[in-house]
Amino acid sequence: MHFRDFIPSLVGLALALAGFLLRQKARKKLSAASAAKAPAKWLKRRKTLWTAISVIGCWIFIVNILTLVFGDLPHEELTVSIIPPRAEFSILGYTPSTTMLVGWGVMAALIVIAVLLRIFVIPRFESVPRGVQNALEAVVELAEGYSSSKTVYLGQPMFGYIFTVGAVLIGFAFAELFGFRSPSSDITFTLALSLISFVMANWYGIRQRSVRGRLKSLANPSPLLMPIRIVTDLANPVSMACRLFGNTVSGMIVMDLVYSFLGSAAVGIPSVLGLYFNVFAALVQAFIFITLTLININEATTE
Amino acid sequence: MDPQISLSVALCLIPAACCGIVEGLATGKAVEAVARQPEASGKITSMLMMGLALTEASSIYGFVIALIMLFS
């Protein structure tokens, strides 16, 4: 290894240290100025500038050190597989896909959290909430209010289902942040989830209003339009499945592009972008999925 | 790659462009509504989110079909 290889990381370290020291100096000056009178704008700006330089220096240093230790990442062509890869082992002659394993992991984590909350937190509830109890009550109240505001009859029983779906989808979003492939980027999972909501809407619709009433609601504006209404109803689960799948996959592809573009410099930047592309988009989609489920059920059960 | 497939993938992504225009229009209307009635901003925001997600579905369908044509 030659000394020349160390120069970029040394430059980064020097930048980081210089930026940090100058920032401390600027901060002292700023606090002295603000004690006397209103601080000048350029002092604040200078402090921000030194902070940015220090952060950039840190980034250069870390990237170069990582490149030195692990070597350059090989550049490979970007490939996207719509069907997720299979696991390397098989259970009873059946090979599960990797997304399914991730899904089981997330579900296990959620179950453990729920059991821990049930054992340690819920028996100690007080009439004046504080801490964890406060947060739990706020979340449950929000979901309950939302589900009963969207549906006329089934707000209370639907609340448990939509809370479960929301928790699972959010868990998957956070699993994607850790580098696993999210199960909602597997079209079989999203189709299963939307079929559940389709069957649920029809089941509750028939139970609430009998088969005759359900058929009557399908022939709503005029019986002539009934085939179109039936096709629309049947297309609903497909559209919900494609929506969730497409959004998750597009976020995944964007993140893959970012990783392949940055190569070995992918330190820190992907985590900031991932917060938007993997987490925020997935949260909005979870919200939309829940809302559409509630709207379908409401449409099936009310006159 | 087969030029016909490239062309049809490009055509599949036209809905994405249209979707961008329409989402911009919808957001502009929502901003107008909030400016006129700031107290209703919560309801307007949730409605806007809902509408944007439903609008986005069309471009997402195009995207999924393009993906299927490209990679399978």
Side-chain angles (χ1 to χ4, degrees):
Chain A
M1 204 176 272
H2 204 266
F3 174 72
R4 204 170 49 217
D5 302 339
F6 286 101
I7 289 176
S9 49
L10 287 179
V11 168
L13 191 60
L15 260 180
L17 280 178
F20 184 71
L21 291 176
L22 285 167
R23 182 183 174 275
Q24 295 298 86
K25 209 172 151 192
R27 195 173 62 104
K28 260 178 210 158
K29 223 182 214 174
L30 187 68
S31 61
S34 62
K37 55 184 187 330
K41 216 171 210 173
W42 60 271
L43 267 177
K44 269 185 193 170
R45 217 175 281 156
R46 178 174 287 181
K47 193 186 143 204
T48 318
L49 178 72
W50 290 129
T51 314
I53 286 179
S54 150
V55 168
I56 290 171
C58 271
W59 185 74
I60 293 173
F61 176 67
I62 291 172
V63 165
N64 282 300
I65 284 291
L66 284 179
T67 319
L68 277 183
V69 173
F70 296 108
D72 256 329
L73 280 180
H75 268 282
E76 40 189 79
E77 205 177 328
L78 180 74
T79 54
V80 176
S81 57
I82 296 180
I83 299 156
R86 297 267 155 186
E88 271 141 25
F89 57 90
S90 63
I91 307 166
L92 301 173
Y94 165 73
T95 332
S97 69
T98 48
T99 53
M100 204 162 150
L101 297 177
V102 175
W104 284 343
V106 171
M107 284 173 202
L110 285 176
I111 290 172
V112 167
I113 290 173
V115 168
L116 285 182
L117 284 178
R118 182 71 189 85
I119 291 174
F120 291 111
V121 180
I122 291 182
R124 288 188 208 154
F125 267 16
E126 297 154 12
S127 55
V128 180
R130 67 192 166 84
V132 182
Q133 189 191 352
N134 229 339
L136 279 178
E137 281 186 1
V139 170
V140 168
E141 248 168 44
L142 191 75
E144 206 171 351
Y146 189 70
S147 77
S148 18
S149 76
K150 283 283 172 212
T151 56
V152 179
Y153 296 123
L154 292 165
Q156 202 60 32
M158 273 306 116
F159 154 67
Y161 173 65
I162 66 154
F163 196 83
T164 313
V165 170
V168 165
L169 287 178
I170 292 168
F172 287 168
F174 281 99
E176 198 174 6
L177 207 57
F178 288 109
F180 301 109
R181 183 170 171 156
S182 160
S184 39
S185 65
D186 184 352
I187 194 152
T188 51
F189 167 76
T190 56
L191 193 63
L193 209 56
S194 57
L195 276 180
I196 290 172
S197 90
F198 174 73
V199 169
M200 223 169 191
N202 280 303
W203 170 255
Y204 278 112
I206 288 171
R207 236 180 58 172
Q208 194 87 21
R209 317 182 41 206
S210 77
V211 179
R212 228 180 99 93
R214 179 86 184 109
L215 286 178
K216 216 188 241 171
S217 78
L218 281 179
N220 192 5
S222 82
L224 274 178
L225 287 177
M226 199 167 156
I228 298 175
R229 286 293 305 269
I230 289 175
V231 168
T232 317
D233 258 33
L234 288 179
N236 230 336
V238 178
S239 107
M240 275 159 85
C242 278
R243 181 177 295 126
L244 193 57
F245 167 74
N247 271 292
T248 323
V249 165
S250 61
M252 199 184 79
I253 289 173
V254 170
M255 287 313 289
D256 279 356
L257 277 174
V258 167
Y259 275 116
S260 73
F261 170 69
L262 288 176
S264 51
V267 178
I269 299 172
S271 59
V272 178
L273 287 177
L275 273 186
Y276 178 78
F277 288 114
N278 289 345
V279 175
F280 176 72
L283 291 190
V284 170
Q285 282 314 307
F287 174 69
I288 295 300
F289 196 90
I290 287 167
T291 313
L292 284 179
T293 306
L294 287 176
I295 286 175
N296 281 347
I297 286 170
N298 189 37
E299 204 181 348
T301 51
T302 48
E303 298 286 324
Chain B
M1 194 188 290
D2 193 356
Q4 277 183 354
I5 288 187
S6 324
L7 191 62
S8 37
V9 166
L11 286 177
C12 268
L13 292 177
I14 287 177
C18 304
C19 184
I21 298 170
V22 168
E23 283 191 358
L25 287 177
T27 314
K29 286 281 178 199
V31 170
E32 268 176 27
V34 171
R36 204 171 294 145
Q37 231 174 350
E39 63 269 21
S41 64
K43 254 184 183 174
I44 292 170
T45 311
S46 66
M47 266 184 198
L48 175 71
M49 275 303 191
M50 186 77 212
L52 285 191
L54 290 179
T55 317
E56 223 169 48
S58 62
S59 75
I60 292 287
Y61 299 151
F63 172 73
V64 168
I65 291 168
L67 271 188
I68 290 170
M69 276 199 285
L70 267 181
F71 293 112
S72 60

